[in-house]
Amino acid sequence: AFDYNYGITVEDYNEMLAHQNGQCAICEMEGKLVVDHCHQTDVVRGLLCNPCNQALGLLKDQPELFLKAAEYIKKREQ
């Protein structure tokens, strides 16, 4: 059982897990996955590992911040 199910059943979770091949929807790590949801709508988006789920929260679910972070990393790699 999981604490934060956002209205999905264990069967829903298992179906999502199978659809994602047991992997995080972002980094594809296998292991314990948490239910990710939109904080504005509470709509479930998928299953993520804790680090990826936390990253989304830390960047406030704003795609613009993710793009800026990616550009920052790219610039520093050169």
Side-chain angles (χ1 to χ4, degrees):
F2 39 91
D3 294 332
Y4 302 102
N5 59 25
Y6 302 101
I8 68 169
T9 65
V10 172
E11 291 79 17
D12 294 333
Y13 178 93
N14 289 334
E15 185 176 314
M16 291 169 59
L17 189 63
H19 180 73
Q20 291 181 205
N21 298 314
Q23 300 174 326
C24 171
I26 295 176
C27 73
E28 300 181 348
M29 180 190 84
E30 293 183 3
K32 184 180 180 215
L33 302 178
V34 298
V35 177
D36 174 51
H37 74 290
C38 174
H39 290 98
Q40 293 179 337
T41 65
D42 281 337
V43 172
V44 172
R45 296 186 285 211
L47 303 176
L48 301 176
C49 66
N50 274 318
C52 286
N53 191 46
Q54 290 173 349
L56 292 182
L58 291 171
L59 290 177
K60 303 175 183 94
D61 287 344
Q62 295 182 14
E64 306 80 29
L65 293 179
F66 286 88
L67 293 172
K68 284 183 175 183
E71 286 301 315
Y72 172 83
I73 291 170
K74 285 180 186 179
K75 286 179 183 177
R76 300 318 186 266
E77 288 177 347
Q78 296 174 359

